[in-house]
Amino acid sequence: MGSDRWASRALALLDAERLAAAPTPVLRFDLPAGWGVELLLKDESAHPTGTLKHRSARALFRHAIASGQLTESGVAVEATGGTGALAQAHFARLLGVRHVVVVPGRHRRVTGFTPRFFTPPAGVHEEARRLAAELGGHHLDQQSNAARVVDWRGDDLAGELFAQVGEPDWVVVGAGTGATSASLGRHVRERGLRTGLAVVDPEHSAHFPGWVTGAPDYATGMPSRIEGIGRPAMGPGFLPGVADLVIPVPDAASVAGARLVRARTGLAVGGSTGTNLWGALHLVARLRERGGGRVVTLVCDAAERHLATYHDDGWARDKSLLPGAHAAVLEEFLAGGPWRWGGGTG
Ligand SMILES: *Cc1c(COP(=O)(O)O)cnc(C)c1O
């Protein structure tokens, strides 16, 4: 019984953190006058952790504590690092809960959270489950749980976004855990909005072929090169039924998009923001043909470390992701020309 007082205090702390935060800002991405099309970027890098994972990390802790799975003396365990682990570390500190992240390999430098290394081929998720059991902790498991636990009615991204931008023609997002797209899609359905949900998908991801073929267990088995989005297999969090459109985006186009967002906003955005911009402009081109409309997408994250990857030509050359040809497509389009990509949709 004693832990109930801790749980209600912890849940109140999480609520207070959410309520104290201002809505993340909406930036305008200028398009040529005369198109009648508006493109808006909701800047999720404005969270204290610099990433949209701030929302799902908070929701994962909230759900685990309310469910009695994570207690005052418990340990929160997650599989794999990245922005999800960094955002979780923020909430673990806020709550005074131990947090351990299972990371493959031994020699990588890891900052921002407590790593627990293991050696593949043991699966990272199996290792996280095993460790949680050993420590008497709880596996937060964002990949399985984030899309279930993020509020989609009013209290989180979906409610906030539609209150700010009304009823746009399209909302464009990527899918990693699927929490973002699932919450927006569910909200659109509940409210009966006429907004379309477009999911952008990087190379090697199972989401686009899975959505096209309707195979719920479609797998490519290949990792994505765009951090945060794209999965080697359709997972429980990606809901193909809420996506009106899935747009496959070349990785070099994501790089070109990320650089353009940085040039326009000054934010050192990650690759997934570039994927969003490419998909959003693909739909802007359609709306221009129709005489106008509004598209909303997200700045997913921003961080200095992205300057050494997506924004760096040496890195891009090594990965065969130099964005020249795709940057030219963007430049021609934004100068008032045609959208020369994707079978001439523009
Ligand atoms: C996780 C993530 C996404 C995708 O969001 P989900 O809600 O997990 O689908 C996009 N961009 C970045 C940088 C991410 O970390």
Side-chain angles (χ1 to χ4, degrees):
M1 292 309 262
S3 63
D4 288 357
R5 294 243 318 268
W6 178 81
S8 68
R9 261 205 324 274
L11 293 171
L13 263 179
L14 292 175
D15 239 20
E17 193 267 359
R18 177 176 63 80
L19 292 168
T24 55
V26 175
L27 317 174
R28 185 179 310 277
F29 186 99
D30 285 328
L31 297 172
W35 287 9
V37 187
E38 193 175 31
L39 174 57
L40 301 173
L41 309 179
K42 184 163 169 61
D43 180 12
E44 291 288 287
S45 78
H47 290 293
T49 53
T51 156
L52 83 177
K53 286 287 194 312
H54 197 81
R55 297 182 189 272
S56 50
R58 181 172 51 213
L60 285 163
F61 274 99
R62 189 175 166 69
H63 190 264
I65 293 166
S67 306
Q69 294 162 327
L70 184 61
T71 60
E72 186 170 12
S73 57
V75 184
V77 180
E78 184 56 278
T80 76
T83 52
L86 289 171
Q88 288 176 11
H90 171 86
F91 288 102
R93 271 193 303 277
L94 177 74
L95 299 169
V97 174
R98 264 185 78 202
H99 178 235
V100 176
V101 177
V102 176
V103 179
R106 306 212 134 264
H107 305 297
R108 240 177 62 198
R109 233 180 91 239
V110 180
T111 51
F113 52 82
T114 309
R116 173 69 86 95
F117 295 105
F118 80 106
T119 313
V124 69
H125 293 276
E126 290 63 41
E127 181 60 18
R129 251 191 301 281
R130 195 197 60 69
L131 187 66
E134 178 193 310
L135 300 175
H138 174 64
H139 182 199
L140 291 167
D141 197 356
Q142 61 174 7
Q143 208 55 55
S144 303
N145 295 326
R148 291 195 298 120
V149 303
V150 168
D151 174 86
W152 48 272
R153 308 194 72 177
D155 286 348
D156 217 316
L157 174 69
E160 190 177 298
L161 180 145
F162 287 106
Q164 286 172 313
V165 304
E167 210 171 327
D169 297 274
W170 289 100
V171 173
V172 181
V173 297
T177 68
T180 303
S181 52
S183 70
L184 293 167
R186 286 166 169 151
H187 190 91
V188 161
R189 264 154 198 75
E190 185 191 47
R191 300 291 162 96
L193 305 181
R194 60 181 189 91
T195 300
L197 175 68
V199 172
V200 284
D201 207 35
E203 290 172 29
H204 307 321
S205 172
H207 293 145
F208 174 67
W211 179 77
V212 168
T213 61
D217 51 359
Y218 197 99
T220 65
M222 289 171 69
S224 164
R225 292 183 293 181
I226 304 299
E227 188 182 317
I229 59 169
R231 297 289 302 162
M234 296 273 273
F238 178 66
L239 307 181
V242 303
D244 296 290
L245 188 62
V246 179
I247 305 172
V249 176
D251 290 348
S254 295
V255 173
R259 292 182 181 193
L260 181 56
V261 173
R262 178 165 169 243
R264 292 284 190 102
T265 66
L267 297 165
V269 301
S272 66
T273 300
T275 321
N276 282 353
L277 185 79
W278 188 269
L281 289 175
H282 182 70
L283 294 168
V284 163
R286 282 196 193 177
L287 291 173
R288 179 177 69 167
E289 301 263 291
R290 276 187 15 199
R294 182 154 18 115
V295 179
V296 181
T297 190
L298 304 178
V299 171
C300 298
D301 76 332
E304 285 294 303
R305 68 194 157 85
H306 295 318
L307 296 178
T309 57
Y310 305 106
H311 301 281
D312 182 75
D313 272 346
W315 178 90
R317 195 175 298 110
D318 280 355
K319 305 269 177 196
S320 301
L321 290 178
L322 279 174
H326 294 92
V329 171
L330 294 174
E331 197 177 329
E332 182 182 11
F333 178 61
L334 292 170
W339 175 245
R340 290 193 194 279
W341 183 76
T345 332

